[in-house]
Amino acid sequence: MPEIRFPRVSPILSPSNVCPNEASSLLTDPKSRKVIIIEHPLLPLHIKEMMAKILFNNLQVPSISFASSHLLSLLAAGRITGLVLDCGHLETTVLPIYAARPLYPQLQTTPLAGARFSSHLRALLLLFGTYLPPPTSLSAAANIPVATRSTRVPEEVLTEAVIEELKTRICFVGEALDMSDSNMQSPPADDSMEMDAPPSDFAMSESDFSRVSADLQSNMSSQQAPESDYSVVSHSQAISNLDRPQPGETHLQALAKLYMRHSTATDLRIRVEPPASQQVGTGRGTLIVPGWIRERAAEVLFEGGDVDESSVAEVVLESLLKAPVDLRKTLASSILVTGGTPMLPGFIPRLQTELLRAVSPNPNNPSSSWSPNRRASRPMSYERYSALRSLVPYFAILNHPSPPPPATPRAAASAGKAPAFSPAALAWVGGSLAGALKSGGVEITREKWDEAEAHTNPDESMEQPMDPNAHTTYNLLPDWTRTPLPVGAPPAVIRSQPAIAPASPQTTVGA
């Protein structure tokens, strides 16, 4: 169950931490405590009203105030201007903030977050993991070899608790694959056989990553697929023509061949609870996690290309594209990464690598090596982020653990300069700081709430329309979706030339 926490300075509420049942065990009087609610930018208004009703009617708090989690995270880093990326469990959200004002029209989201990482890790373990059930007796554990007892991983073993433990204890984010390797180069193809297909046609959905058929073999190292001209367009941008799925292979099997060759991590054994059908054994079972899964399972967060499922680097660049041109350098040099998923080792350095890779010019673009005698067999590829190419020297992440050598003074003043708080705790630290400074946002007092509730009568609202100017509870709660969107610069005022009056007849001198 979620909970309510009352810190020493000022109470702070997160949208996922609301439960009035634990107020009696906090040893504090809620009637004398002001509350700051850390909200998500896309939090529905009816949930805000529910939280306010619980706090005002049940706990009798004197006042509450709502503050954006992105703004408070930036405040904890000692800045009021920056680009905040919050990678949580359900989605990744990017919000630019300028002078402590969130630019909500430039908000960008993607479903590639912790939940997608968990489902991808589970699918990889079901396909390529190994499970050792507990031996039936102590003598069997000493006499039966391990290779004989190894089986496929049962679905009952990979519970949510086990997946969460694997994510926090053994998984990390590997370095970006070097696409300049000779083995990764795609062989030249005949111009007459070239065909450009959109990547979204073969995009893997959430169910495709989660479904695992029983007839697929778990050990891919012993399989040798014959050479064939068959190839498909894969969802992964890292798969070359040599690593694309062969006939009879799935997308995950093609990824396994690629990641096995470019992984240096070791296999680990984790003790897990056996399923109910194997409870007769002695002890617990053993889950063998391949090293390449530990290192490359998080690649799903950095593989974009789909319209609805952009990578974590693409949402940052999309937000910069929507931001005003004169703010792009300032925002690109003050990127802050928050949330629970960025706590994976290597996440922040990999994010900066992907940002630079996406903005840098593509060497395979035909437009870079165009000549008048070249036969136009393929149209020039469209580089979406070419407008951001001038920002390459300015990219800097505030909480980068080991920032690269900066290229500009602006990047040197920001890279790695944030306090060493955990990315998951930045919003909480910023909320405590806002409570101490009494700058938590617009404050809603209990008197205003009671007055608004008195004007809201559900029985009368069924008979006559509600007055839009009435002080209802919905009007008290902050909602940025009700604010008008910016219309841009005002039109230029064309000043009309003054009319020249006709000259009056003059009398000649001496007439």
Side-chain angles (χ1 to χ4, degrees):
M1 291 290 294
E3 60 183 4
I4 288 183
R5 300 182 182 182
F6 290 89
R8 179 183 304 175
V9 178
S10 177
I12 303 175
L13 288 180
S14 177
S16 60
N17 293 14
V18 180
C19 179
N21 297 331
E22 299 192 9
S24 59
S25 61
L26 296 176
L27 302 180
T28 184
D29 185 14
K31 296 182 179 180
S32 61
R33 288 294 210 177
K34 298 182 179 180
V35 179
I36 298 177
I37 301 179
I38 304 176
E39 63 166 346
H40 191 273
L42 301 178
L43 185 66
L45 193 60
H46 67 276
I47 296 182
K48 295 182 184 180
E49 185 185 24
M50 184 189 308
M51 297 164 62
K53 285 183 178 179
I54 294 175
L55 292 173
F56 282 128
N57 300 336
N58 296 6
L59 298 181
Q60 301 293 321
V61 298
S63 66
I64 62 174
S65 58
F66 293 85
S68 174
S69 59
H70 295 72
L71 177 59
L72 295 181
S73 300
L74 196 61
L75 184 62
R79 304 296 179 96
I80 59 175
T81 299
L83 188 69
V84 184
L85 182 143
D86 184 7
C87 187
H89 180 68
L90 293 179
E91 63 181 357
T92 299
T93 310
V94 177
L95 179 65
I97 299 174
Y98 181 75
R101 291 174 174 84
L103 305 180
Y104 290 111
Q106 283 76 38
L107 179 72
Q108 294 290 325
T109 60
T110 178
L112 296 184
R116 179 61 59 86
F117 175 43
S118 300
S119 62
H120 189 64
L121 176 62
R122 177 184 174 88
L124 290 176
L125 290 176
L126 289 176
L127 273 173
F128 309 104
T130 305
Y131 176 70
L132 302 178
T136 56
S137 61
L138 296 179
S139 59
N143 299 329
I144 301 178
V146 176
T148 307
R149 293 192 297 117
S150 61
T151 61
R152 294 175 58 89
V153 180
E155 296 186 9
E156 296 82 3
V157 171
L158 300 178
T159 59
E160 295 184 1
V162 172
I163 294 295
E164 199 67 26
E165 183 179 5
L166 295 179
K167 288 170 52 179
T168 56
R169 291 184 57 186
I170 68 174
C171 289
F172 63 98
V173 181
E175 297 180 355
L177 298 178
D178 188 8
M179 302 303 295
S180 61
D181 189 6
S182 59
N183 295 331
M184 299 292 295
Q185 296 294 334
S186 58
D190 187 9
D191 293 339
S192 61
M193 297 300 295
E194 290 181 353
M195 181 178 62
D196 294 335
S200 59
D201 293 345
F202 297 89
M204 303 293 289
S205 62
E206 177 73 18
S207 58
D208 295 332
F209 280 117
S210 305
R211 285 197 298 265
V212 179
S213 57
D215 57 342
L216 294 177
Q217 299 182 7
S218 61
N219 187 7
M220 293 299 303
S221 60
S222 61
Q223 292 185 355
Q224 298 294 334
E227 298 182 356
S228 174
D229 295 333
Y230 174 82
S231 62
V232 297
V233 179
S234 175
H235 179 64
S236 174
Q237 295 178 345
I239 297 183
S240 64
N241 289 347
L242 298 178
D243 297 307
R244 294 193 177 183
Q246 301 297 326
E249 290 183 345
T250 62
H251 174 78
L252 293 179
Q253 290 174 333
L255 285 179
K257 294 195 302 182
L258 174 64
Y259 295 155
M260 284 178 186
R261 190 169 64 252
H262 297 84
S263 177
T264 58
T266 58
D267 300 352
L268 290 183
R269 299 190 175 194
I270 306 297
R271 294 288 183 179
V272 294
E273 293 293 336
S277 59
Q278 299 177 355
Q279 294 291 345
V280 295
T282 58
R284 296 191 296 176
T286 303
L287 176 64
I288 301 178
V289 182
W292 66 269
I293 293 182
R294 297 175 49 217
E295 182 178 359
R296 298 299 176 181
E299 293 291 327
V300 67
L301 302 177
F302 301 95
E303 296 174 0
D306 198 342
V307 176
D308 298 327
E309 296 183 355
S310 302
S311 66
V312 291
E314 290 176 348
V315 290
V316 174
L317 299 177
E318 291 289 343
S319 182
L320 287 175
L321 282 177
K322 297 180 64 177
V325 179
D326 53 346
L327 298 183
R328 290 179 181 178
K329 289 183 180 179
T330 305
L331 296 176
S333 59
S334 302
I335 300 176
L336 184 65
V337 183
T338 65
T341 304
M343 295 181 64
L344 289 170
F347 182 93
I348 297 179
R350 177 64 183 277
L351 175 61
Q352 183 158 8
T353 303
E354 294 294 334
L355 289 175
L356 297 177
R357 173 184 289 186
V359 176
S360 301
N362 185 10
N364 297 326
N365 189 357
S367 61
S368 60
S369 59
W370 183 85
S371 62
N373 297 328
R374 183 180 180 273
R375 183 173 54 182
S377 59
R378 177 183 295 183
M380 294 183 299
S381 61
Y382 170 65
E383 297 184 5
R384 178 171 178 80
Y385 307 114
S386 58
L388 305 176
R389 196 162 296 162
S390 59
L391 303 179
V392 171
Y394 298 94
F395 277 113
I397 300 179
L398 294 173
N399 53 345
H400 198 299
S402 55
T408 58
R410 183 176 295 184
S414 301
K417 301 301 182 180
F421 293 118
S422 171
L426 281 174
W428 296 93
V429 175
S432 298
L433 186 60
L437 299 177
K438 298 181 180 180
S439 59
V442 180
E443 188 174 354
I444 304 174
T445 60
R446 188 170 58 180
E447 290 77 10
K448 291 184 179 180
W449 181 266
D450 294 340
E451 180 183 357
E453 276 195 331
H455 287 82
T456 306
N457 191 349
D459 297 334
E460 296 179 358
S461 61
M462 297 296 293
E463 300 176 358
Q464 57 185 0
M466 184 180 298
D467 185 8
N469 298 324
H471 297 283
T472 60
T473 56
Y474 267 53
N475 295 333
L476 288 178
L477 299 175
D479 183 19
W480 65 269
T481 59
R482 290 199 298 251
T483 60
L485 296 178
V487 295
V493 178
I494 302 177
R495 297 181 179 179
S496 59
Q497 296 293 337
I500 300 177
S504 59
Q506 298 182 359
T507 306
T508 60
V509 179

